[in-house]
Amino acid sequence: MKQTLFEQYETAKEQGNKRLATSLIANFIETFTTDEEREEWTRWYMENRSVGHAVRHELFEHILFPVLLAGHKRSDPWCIEMLERCAQNLYKAEHLWSQIGYQTEMQLAELLLELTPHDLQAKERVLGHLIRWFNYSEHEWPAGILYGSDGATEPQCQEILQSLRKARELDERRAYAQYLNQFEAKLQIYIHRLSQAGTKGAASNV
């Protein structure tokens, strides 16, 4: 493995030289000869480079993903966390995503929490996903509560309520207590609306 090629790639990328960057990253990938090299470099990369956005796809497919997939198969917490961080790469490459059973960011975070149930960071990762889901669900309020792109049904509302209870358990520092209270209040109002609409519908069919 020749790290200098990767450094040259980063320089070319910063300078906007796409053709050179493409050539350099391909040459860099070819310098790996063992699984041990790939694992060592993957750990270096994930710990020293921001993964706020998708990793370059060649680098992810040929170097990072094989390492993380092997770790996923042996239930390695670090590898599962890194797969969650690289979720955008998975979503864009179905042939890779399928190899972990199409697990979403949320499912990977839940798996990590199952493996490390006392880890505060693991709890906060799941909590963060739940809060983002609730934010999305209520963003058309007072029109309603969303589940996916449609209004939530009564069974789906019960699922949201169950997730809300889970969020309260995970929120050990009560950082989201006020938010969760107001979200639950909206959800209960929406459930009441559904119940009232169902009662009226049933009555009209008598």
Side-chain angles (χ1 to χ4, degrees), residues 61-117:
E61 179 168 355
H62 298 292
I63 306 299
L64 275 64
F65 182 72
V67 173
L68 301 180
L69 175 62
H72 181 277
K73 289 179 178 178
R74 63 176 186 268
S75 298
D76 179 85
W78 185 85
C79 290
I80 291 166
E81 180 181 345
M82 295 307 109
L83 280 169
E84 182 203 348
R85 287 174 57 185
C86 294
Q88 294 307 311
N89 281 93
L90 293 170
Y91 298 157
K92 293 177 182 178
E94 188 169 342
H95 65 293
L96 302 181
W97 192 19
S98 65
Q99 295 181 56
I100 64 165
Y102 297 103
Q103 287 178 307
T104 64
E105 289 172 272
M106 179 64 176
Q107 290 170 326
L108 288 166
E110 289 178 326
L111 176 58
L112 178 61
L113 183 57
E114 287 178 17
L115 295 170
T116 57

Side-chain angles (χ1 to χ4, degrees), residues 24-33 38 58-59 62-63:
L24 286 167
I25 201 66
N27 291 338
F28 173 64
I29 289 169
E30 289 180 359
T31 65
F32 285 83
T33 58
R38 293 183 183 87
E58 305 101 313
L59 196 61
H62 298 292
I63 306 299

Side-chain angles (χ1 to χ4, degrees), residues 14-15 21 44 50 65 76 86 104 119-120 123 150 153 161 167 184-185:
E14 289 175 4
Q15 294 173 344
W44 173 85
S50 172
F65 182 72
D76 179 85
C86 294
T104 64
D119 185 85
L120 179 59
K123 292 178 181 180
D150 301 314
T153 63
L161 273 175
E184 183 171 10

Side-chain angles (χ1 to χ4, degrees), residues 14 48 53 77 97 126 132 190:
E14 289 175 4
N48 291 278
H53 300 286
W97 192 19
V126 174
R132 286 188 287 276
Y190 179 74

Side-chain angles (χ1 to χ4, degrees), residues 11-57:
T11 299
K13 182 181 177 183
E14 289 175 4
Q15 294 173 344
N17 192 333
K18 295 182 179 179
R19 181 175 296 180
L20 179 58
T22 298
S23 175
L24 286 167
I25 201 66
N27 291 338
F28 173 64
I29 289 169
E30 289 180 359
T31 65
F32 285 83
T33 58
T34 67
D35 291 340
E36 289 73 19
E37 275 188 338
R38 293 183 183 87
E39 181 169 355
E40 182 180 351
W41 194 84
T42 294
R43 289 184 179 275
W44 173 85
Y45 180 83
M46 297 303 293
E47 292 170 2
N48 291 278
R49 293 295 185 270
S50 172
V51 194
H53 300 286
V55 180
R56 188 176 179 99
H57 66 276

